[in-house]
Amino acid sequence: MSAERDQFGRSIEYLRISVTDRCNFRCLYCMPADGLPWLPRADILSYEEIADVVGQLAPLGLRRVRLTGGEPTIRPQLEKLIAMLRAIPVVEDIALSTNGVKFDEYAPRFREAGLDRVNISADSLRPDRIAKISRRNFSFDPVRAASAATAAGLAPVKLNVVVMRGINDDEIADFARLTLDHPWHVRFIELMPVGEMRDLTWEHVVPSDEVLARAAEIAPLHASSGPAGNGPAAYHAFAGAAGTIGVITPMSHTYCASCNRVRLTADGRLRTCLFGDHEVGLREPLRAGQPLAPLFREALASKPREHALLQMQVGGLRALSQVGG
Ligand code: SAM
Ligand code: SF4
């Protein structure tokens, strides 16, 4: 069955599911140091309810899901949800976005439950800097987390680096070099003006062209098709490298035209654009036993052509942790 299309003819086959708005990190660009007003627990969808939503959207063409948050791995026994989603026959691809804490412990367990692939957020390779950016003191090593993912059979493994001038931009080459020997896809993300970035300003944004130029100082880069699973990144690679280098430029509209995704917030609201405010509440209809297909179609009918990020003020949008970034 082909996927439902929105009013601009885009097939919607990909759902990003926020399983919690909470997190064990307080990344400078995502959350204030003292956290955010968390959702009441009773408002958060249970694993059974999330699986019910996916099961009801699957006949409409949903094929791929990503578990995100907040930090999805802090929700107890996430492998149970992974297994429930794996049991839905038409779901072809189950992915996870995580900050990678304790991932050496989780990777085999999640893989066994049916997880296909993982994106690990890694803004630095230096422990002191990781603590400064995440405002937490976990012993966390992104290379160890990515190695555990590869060893468990998760593929592709992507490392997401939010580049911030004067904070971690001197590590662009170190991250790029990882792709020479490891089958990893390092994706440099431009900092976005969302949430409450009290400690960051526009001056911290490093344009993607500059990132690529700095990576290319190691060796020439050529365009690459990148890993499977079409996303918003443009990929490049060093000759003979095991992995690739991607750049994600959320401020441009380059990927709106092919946007194939919608988002489910932890409290069961369907969002059609990461940077828009339009939402359709699914939790109450779900709990009342109503069918979700008409609500899904209603949401798609209002999916905007493109986001209006460039017109927005820093702090004018909710943090990505609140909407399932
Ligand atoms: N906790 C998980 C993690 O960190 O991967 C999943 C949720 S996190 C909100 C998803 C992604 O959003 C991460 O890769 C993070 O770096 C990115 N992100 C959050 N706020 C951002 C911002 N202001 N600018 C750019 N990327 C951001
Ligand atoms: Fe947590 Fe991810 Fe946001 Fe960092 S980016 S505070 S790890 S949700």
Side-chain angles (χ1 to χ4, degrees):
M1 127 109 47
S2 64
E4 286 289 308
R5 288 180 183 271
D6 73 358
Q7 56 177 328
F8 303 107
R10 295 171 293 196
S11 299
I12 307 301
E13 50 147 60
Y14 177 29
L15 181 68
R16 294 178 67 103
I17 303 169
S18 172
V19 300
T20 178
D21 59 331
R22 295 168 197 235
C23 190
N24 46 2
F25 275 11
R26 296 286 182 274
C27 298
L28 293 175
Y29 48 76
C30 187
M31 286 189 191
D34 44 3
L36 290 162
W38 310 125
L39 291 167
R41 288 193 194 273
D43 287 357
I44 294 194
L45 296 189
S46 67
Y47 288 165
E48 287 75 14
E49 287 171 331
I50 294 172
D52 194 356
V53 171
V54 174
Q56 291 201 49
L57 301 191
L60 304 180
L62 185 66
R63 294 290 172 269
R64 305 195 292 126
V65 296
R66 172 174 298 277
L67 304 179
T68 179
E71 175 49 40
T73 63
I74 63 169
R75 194 145 165 196
Q77 298 182 300
L78 188 67
E79 60 274 16
K80 283 196 176 165
L81 175 61
I82 295 169
M84 285 177 187
L85 298 176
R86 187 82 281 168
I88 301 171
V90 298
V91 173
E92 291 162 7
D93 185 44
I94 305 177
L96 172 74
S97 289
T98 175
N99 60 24
V101 169
K102 290 213 247 171
F103 204 65
D104 34 1
E105 183 189 320
Y106 297 139
R109 206 190 291 171
F110 292 171
R111 176 72 185 139
E112 198 177 326
L115 186 69
D116 293 305
R117 57 205 184 94
V118 68
N119 290 6
I120 298 169
S121 294
D123 299 325
S124 174
L125 298 170
R126 305 181 194 177
D128 57 325
R129 219 177 244 186
I130 294 173
K132 194 177 150 209
I133 296 170
S134 69
R135 302 197 191 96
R136 286 292 182 270
N137 239 328
F138 285 99
S139 84
F140 164 61
D141 175 355
V143 171
R144 200 176 72 202
S147 301
T150 300
L154 296 170
V157 172
K158 299 178 188 168
L159 289 173
N160 285 345
V161 186
V162 177
V163 186
M164 293 164 279
R165 195 178 302 284
I167 296 181
N168 65 350
D169 59 328
D170 56 346
E171 293 187 64
I172 291 170
D174 294 341
F175 274 108
R177 252 184 233 106
L178 288 177
T179 67
L180 290 169
D181 297 327
H182 301 282
W184 301 336
H185 305 280
V186 171
R187 306 183 327 153
F188 295 104
I189 306 177
E190 266 180 16
L191 181 65
M192 289 183 264
V194 295
E196 301 196 43
M197 301 199 308
R198 288 176 204 158
D199 300 322
L200 297 171
T201 68
W202 286 94
E203 274 154 34
H204 289 98
V205 176
V206 182
S208 294
D209 289 350
E210 183 181 332
V211 169
L212 283 176
R214 285 163 73 172
E217 284 168 13
I218 301 172
L221 280 171
H222 57 82
S224 159
S225 54
N230 52 345
Y235 286 96
H236 306 262
F238 297 123
T244 67
I245 293 169
V247 285
I248 301 183
T249 52
M251 304 297 285
S252 78
H253 289 146
T254 45
Y255 57 85
C256 293
S258 58
C259 181
N260 60 354
R261 59 194 62 190
V262 289
R263 292 178 158 77
L264 182 68
T265 64
D267 57 345
R269 287 168 292 121
L270 201 59
R271 281 180 78 95
T272 55
C273 178
L274 178 57
F275 304 115
D277 278 337
H278 188 265
E279 295 176 342
V280 172
L282 298 187
R283 188 186 67 227
E284 295 319 319
L286 184 73
R287 290 184 179 169
Q290 291 167 18
L292 301 182
L295 295 168
F296 185 61
R297 293 198 174 102
E298 176 194 323
L300 292 200
S302 61
K303 184 169 165 64
R305 183 191 292 273
E306 59 189 22
H307 65 69
L309 195 52
L310 286 170
Q311 286 87 57
M312 291 175 185
Q313 302 289 315
V314 170
L317 286 162
R318 287 196 293 164
L320 265 63
S321 64
Q322 293 175 304
V323 294

